[in-house]
Amino acid sequence: MSTDNTLQAIKFDKEQVALSILDQLLLPYPTTYIPINTIEDAFQAIKKMQVRGAPAIAIVASFAVTVDTHLHLKSKDQPRTVAQLVSSIEYLITSRPTAVNLSNALTDIKKLVLQSFQPGDEVTSKVFDLIYKYSVALFEDDLANNYKLGDNGVSYITKILQQQNFKGPFSIVTICNTGSLATSGHGTALGIIRSVHQQLKQDLGKGFWLDQVYPCETRPYNQGAKLTSYELKFEKIPFTLICDNMVTSLINTLNVQKKSVKSSSAPVKFIITGADRIVENGDSANKIGTFQLASIANQFNSRFSEEEKIKFIVAAPRTTIDFETKTGEDIVIEERPSNELTTLKGPVLSVNEAGVTEVGEKLTVGIAPPDISVWNPAFDVAPHDLIDAIVTEDTDAFVKNSNGEFNLRV
Ligand SMILES: CSC[C@H]1O[C@H](OP(=O)(O)O)[C@H](O)[C@@H]1O
């Protein structure tokens, strides 16, 4: 195992055909890379959320099928049939049901193999080659697409601010983690924030600039507090961490009362989230709490002038769009274990004589009575009528037509 203070969630050695992932359950404290050698290793790591984020879990799953196949071919074990490989792939799809990237990628791999081979055929190096090429392309395309998505987000944000005749500093609210730790790099919603931070700086003369990011801590698994804060701090992007239940007060303080929060008075102009599954009509499943953010923006906008309105942006690569599902009503929402809500895990922190924080052993702390009824859906669905724009790697952001409908087909 290696430790590495990096934002690289996934490491794949093309020559050695070796896969390791950053154990994200230990972040934001020093963590380790753990090897993924089998489909079962990947299932467990995805299920436990040692790796999470819709694009990242699809990439890790695809690479895991590649590595598993490679190691099996090298072993002296009984050759595997295509049917057996397909069955393992179908098992891996069940590790997390809501994020469509996972099922899309593994279904693509299944189709690729079955287009050229019969179920009873032996898994040979030719099968491996198909899977390897697909997995490497998925990883590399995701990274390239995230930079395009970031630029498209900047274009949309610039257009809106110009239309609203907005001048000065602005803020962005986001939820969960949608950055390098959730993708192959740069990120989706956090990728837009990275690109905005780089391209809309005060000294670049556009007349408006990003002053503050407000990441929601994202209960109950705290991806915002643990992961997005880690990324924003790493990139030196100005941010202030808030609880999920603070967003209404934040917007009321900044945008309505025109007062400051900490040292910033920049109004919230955008709420930017990721997605785990965007369906045909634009309804978008994302981390629990996202629907609430869309509702909050809608509530304020009902009182705001056009120039004051807050825009709600969903950011995702096209691999997150599910054209098989017509509306959000049909999206399966993953429910997770109760203990994610009734306990908190983390290291013991102590400050030594030199004032340096030392990271000790990992503990689990109870924050609710044991054996109680808990509801822990990992996602909710923001209806398309509350979404202003869906930003992908395609050139222009998708916005609704005069009938209030998205057309996500290009
Ligand atoms: C680019 S990540 C997309 C999406 O995935 C996250 O879910 P999880 O942390 O449970 O894997 C979150 O909903 C992000 O918005």
Side-chain angles (χ1 to χ4, degrees), residues 138-150 184-185 393:
L138 182 72
F139 179 73
E140 293 173 350
D141 290 351
D142 181 62
L143 185 57
N145 289 340
N146 290 344
Y147 284 107
K148 290 179 195 166
L149 192 158
S184 57
E393 64 272 25

Side-chain angles (χ1 to χ4, degrees), residues 158-191:
T158 300
K159 186 174 74 174
I160 293 297
L161 293 174
Q162 287 171 340
Q163 285 173 352
Q164 292 184 338
N165 301 308
F166 183 85
K167 296 291 179 209
F170 65 91
S171 298
I172 296 175
V173 168
T174 193
I175 190 169
C176 200
N177 171 254
T178 58
S180 296
L181 295 170
T183 66
S184 57
H186 196 65
T188 59
L190 195 50

Side-chain angles (χ1 to χ4, degrees), residues 68-132:
D68 191 313
T69 302
H70 171 71
L71 293 175
H72 197 93
L73 285 170
K74 281 175 58 178
S75 76
K76 298 288 178 251
D77 294 348
Q78 178 75 13
R80 186 186 277 165
T81 65
V82 165
Q84 287 171 318
L85 175 62
V86 165
S87 173
S88 302
I89 290 171
E90 286 169 346
Y91 161 70
L92 187 50
I93 289 175
T94 67
S95 54
R96 293 198 72 192
T98 304
V100 71
N101 307 56
L102 178 65
S103 52
N104 278 350
L106 293 180
T107 301
D108 283 351
I109 288 176
K110 268 180 21 182
K111 286 177 181 170
L112 260 178
V113 172
L114 291 170
Q115 275 167 0
S116 307
F117 300 94
Q118 295 302 315
D121 290 346
E122 185 181 314
V123 173
T124 63
S125 59
K126 289 189 171 63
V127 175
F128 164 78
D129 288 344
L130 282 178
I131 301 169
Y132 177 93

Side-chain angles (χ1 to χ4, degrees), residues 49 52-55 96 176 178 182 188 223 274-276 286-287 379:
M49 295 174 73
R52 32 65 51 200
R96 293 198 72 192
C176 200
T178 58
T188 59
Q223 289 97 322
D276 292 85
N286 195 57
K287 184 53 53 204
F379 304 102

